[in-house]
Amino acid sequence: MDFAAFAERADELEAEGSDLGTVALVADLLADAGDELPVVARFLRGEVFAGWDSRKLSVGPALCYEAIARAAGRNVSVSDVEARLADTGEIGAVAANYEFGGQTGLSAFAGGSDGDGGAGGDLTVRGVADSLAAVAAATGEGSEATRRDTLFGLFNRASPAEAKYLARLLLGEMRIGVGGGTVRDATAAAFLGAETTTPVDERGEKDDEKREDDAGTEADDDERGDDGDGDGERGPEDESADGDESEGERERETGDDTAELVAAVERALQVTNDYGRVAELAREEGVAGLRSVSLEVGRPVRAMLAQAGTVADALDGWDAAAVETKYDGARVQLHYDGESASVFSRNMEDVTDALPELVEHAERELSAPAIVDGEAVAVGDDGRPLPFQEVLRRFRRKHDVDRMREEVAVELRAFDCLHAAGEDLLDTPLTERHDRLRDVLDTGVSDLLVSDDPDEIAAFETDALEAGHEGVMLKRPDSTYSPGRRGRNWLKRKPDVETLDLVVTGAEWGEGRRATYLGTFLLSARVEGRGDPEYETIGKVATGITDEELAELTDLLEPHVVRESGTEVAIRPAVVFEVGYEEIQRSPTYSSGYALRFPRFLGVREDKAPGDADTLERVDRLADAG
Ligand code: AMP
């Protein structure tokens, strides 16, 4: 397939307004992709390599801008590219506005197809993929020049439309509204005869801004799901990883057949971690082929993720909870083929060489081939855990590994097993997987308490905290392993966060029995050193309030009502509430730019005036620390 044809289809996708239309367009494109189907399926997601593949393109913005500037001609500098980027905000649009192709010379013809160069027309999807593979493979002396020349060559041969998607591909953001669920559903529609449906997990995506995480479904810029700078800060896309929905709750508004076909594609994706291979399998071998795929030792699987939750959440929904220590380290996946072991990070990078003690542990202690999920923790001389930043010092280290090993000792805490002795365990219930883990691994396995007693769970948590760990994980005992999903079957329960003292600036009258009481309270943080408005809203609280308290709060607040409209009232800042919450999230809903997750009323701070309430600055700090 010509790259120009791919770019044209990508333009159509970008312009498509509905989710359903997007799935249909992707299905058509996959059906037309011919031999290049695997590459097209990956490119649509902004990926050059399969998810399991530890090769990385590693083209940063600087290199990309430089290649664009060079191909755009002598008069164009990197700062010109950057200036235009500042104007348009998007590298694809910038690249599409240059005229390429004027540059000649040997490297102008790099780029992998047999055309004769010039602006546009001779790049193929495969040629681009091959060139990018060469860029990824270039290491050592002279590799920087090879990378530069190859990228320059690609742009130099690109038409404006091609350059747009080339630039986006290099930086991993296609921005065409094609999420993982879209490719999955389109694969089922194109090759298995499924109806074209709106992907449940991406519904409405087209209505909003294009997703920030279009390019990568990973919530995992870093082993902790942080921003990668090791400060524990969450990236904007962390919560929007695909697969937010809880397993078992996914209702499809489609016929059973379509649901089953889509599930077959989904399962194959989970097992292989490869959109390209799955699309090809669906086309060549149908549902039977998809169902026959199995895990391969040595190919990393996406890690199952956890949502924040409470013991009450767990025990409300499940018969009992499987409780484990939440270790403060970095996620690792160990693959052992019976002879040697490799280690992968949460974003599936091969970190085998950086963590020899985990390799030794696996090779010494595993009695059968296995894929083991766990946490790498740094341990001090006294055996107590060290902060996770210490572990990160060991990850990705290429030099001085032995010296670092003396400085920071890393140990394995294994908590799950995806494959043991030739058998895949993704569909096996959690407690059984844990038993299998114990069968194959003698040491370094997490303790698991299965309990429905909140006091027993609280005692387990106290022990974990006293031993220096982060808290506990609550897992649904009969749940299967869902790669890449942030479902509700794994809950991370962290100790309660600091409370906030917030000013009540509005409220809503209740309904029914509570119609004479103010029921939902609008909360605001104070903005220091600024006049009007001195407060910015941050959330609403309605839970944790007894009927008796509602009456008292109504009496307390009613005199301060300044305006009423419908059931809503505006309230003059006068009363301060102490509020607990599970997390502070960035959110456009409130004027502060933040929202509280699960806010609950703890009491009125009678000792505090609005001027003593917490400031937005403190909220900023807490949000950063969370
Ligand atoms: P968070 O990084 O806060 O989203 O918490 C989820 C992470 O906790 C996982 O990705 C693991 O790296 C880590 N973790 C620590 N202990 C466990 C455990 N027992 N089970 C699952 N994940 C754990």
Side-chain angles (χ1 to χ4, degrees), residues 475-557:
K475 301 180 180 177
R476 189 178 171 130
D478 57 359
S479 60
T480 57
Y481 193 96
S482 310
R485 296 238 164 255
R486 194 184 288 284
R488 281 191 218 129
N489 286 336
W490 283 19
L491 300 177
K492 49 188 172 190
R493 151 127 184 98
K494 293 186 190 170
D496 285 338
V497 281
E498 290 176 63
T499 61
L500 281 170
D501 294 333
L502 298 167
V503 181
V504 182
T505 53
E508 287 166 33
W509 291 106
E511 287 177 352
R513 195 166 52 86
R514 293 183 160 191
T516 54
Y517 300 133
L518 290 172
T520 301
F521 302 94
L522 181 66
L523 305 166
S524 293
R526 192 160 58 85
V527 181
E528 229 160 20
R530 201 177 78 185
D532 194 28
E534 212 176 329
Y535 299 94
E536 300 287 6
T537 57
I538 185 168
K540 289 179 181 171
V541 66
T543 42
I545 313 176
T546 62
D547 281 359
E548 205 173 274
E549 280 169 332
L550 275 184
E552 286 169 17
L553 292 176
T554 306
D555 288 347
L556 183 66
L557 287 162

Side-chain angles (χ1 to χ4, degrees), residues 223-224 234 305-306 324-327 330-331 346 375 415 473 475 486 490 492 494:
E223 282 70 33
R224 293 250 312 186
R234 303 185 70 83
L305 303 170
E324 265 172 355
T325 298
K326 184 172 194 297
Y327 302 103
R331 191 79 172 257
R346 170 175 154 146
E375 193 88 344
F415 47 73
M473 300 287 297
K475 301 180 180 177
R486 194 184 288 284
W490 283 19
K492 49 188 172 190
K494 293 186 190 170

